[in-house]
Amino acid sequence: MNRPKLNIRLYFADWILEIIGAIFLILMIAYPLYHFNKLPEVIPSHFNAAGQPDGFSKKSILWILPTIGLFMYVGMFFLNKLPHIFNYPKEITEENAEHQYQIATKMVRTLNTLIAASFFYIIYRTVQTSLNETKGLGTYFLPAFLITIFGTLGIYLYLSLKKKPILFEET
């Protein structure tokens, strides 16, 4: 694999996604920190496919999602700086490398933001359920999450395979 190593330019939409992702990352940590002392000793720790709590643990379990979310976000952030090591649906050449790298880094950036937002939502609803403000994640969380993640992958796969200029590119 002898792919070109390029510095990929960040466009306005890229910066917006990075900022939104960072905000969700901060909220993932700040929200449970703010509410931690108000929580009961036992809180929901697992939700079924319908979004209802079906497992309970000590409230310290609440820190698992922010920890995983932080490592995932930071890992994907730095991985996104190395698009030459990604897998692509077509061969990478000198001619198409920049185009393919742009698409791939936008996809990873979008997924990173969506996952951070989803983790925050789960944390938020866990805290709210623990405080008896709501009941679970909601029926539509799982389908919405799956459609969003796989829809994003599908869009970027389509963009990668077509020959026209990239979506979001500024002139």
Side-chain angles (χ1 to χ4, degrees):
M1 179 169 69
N2 202 10
R3 296 180 178 161
K5 295 178 183 176
L6 306 174
N7 287 324
I8 302 303
R9 176 179 173 215
L10 291 171
Y11 293 97
F12 182 73
D14 298 314
W15 285 108
I16 296 298
L17 280 171
E18 291 290 355
I19 291 167
I20 292 169
I23 289 169
F24 280 119
L25 187 62
I26 291 165
L27 288 172
M28 247 192 280
I29 296 164
Y31 190 77
L33 192 60
Y34 179 78
H35 290 284
F36 194 76
N37 290 331
K38 294 184 250 178
L39 294 174
E41 288 304 312
V42 176
I43 65 169
S45 59
H46 189 270
F47 297 88
N48 63 23
Q52 297 303 312
D54 64 355
F56 298 87
S57 298
K58 291 181 180 178
K59 69 180 181 178
S60 59
I61 196 86
L62 187 60
W63 295 112
I64 289 180
L65 267 184
T67 303
I68 293 170
L70 177 65
F71 280 109
M72 280 182 62
Y73 188 88
V74 170
M76 287 175 67
F77 176 84
F78 286 110
L79 177 67
N80 211 19
K81 306 243 182 254
L82 307 168
H84 61 279
I85 68 170
F86 294 0
N87 287 324
Y88 292 90
K90 50 177 22 176
E91 185 178 344
I92 302 301
T93 64
E94 292 286 336
E95 295 77 34
N96 73 0
E98 184 174 9
H99 176 74
Q100 292 295 320
Y101 293 178
Q102 276 287 350
I103 293 167
T105 58
K106 284 181 188 334
M107 180 189 69
V108 170
R109 190 171 290 108
T110 302
L111 288 172
N112 208 11
T113 301
L114 290 171
I115 291 168
S118 298
F119 274 35
F120 171 69
Y121 179 80
I122 294 168
I123 292 164
Y124 171 78
R125 294 294 289 225
T126 299
V127 169
Q128 292 299 301
T129 300
S130 300
L131 298 173
N132 292 318
E133 299 290 326
T134 191
K135 293 193 188 285
L137 299 178
T139 308
Y140 298 109
F141 172 74
L142 184 60
F145 175 76
L146 293 173
I147 289 167
T148 305
I149 296 299
F150 287 111
T152 299
L153 291 170
I155 289 167
Y156 284 102
L157 180 61
Y158 169 77
L159 291 172
S160 180
L161 292 172
K162 75 181 227 174
K163 296 183 190 273
K164 294 193 175 189
I166 184 170
L167 185 68
F168 306 126
E169 194 168 295
E170 296 173 5
T171 54

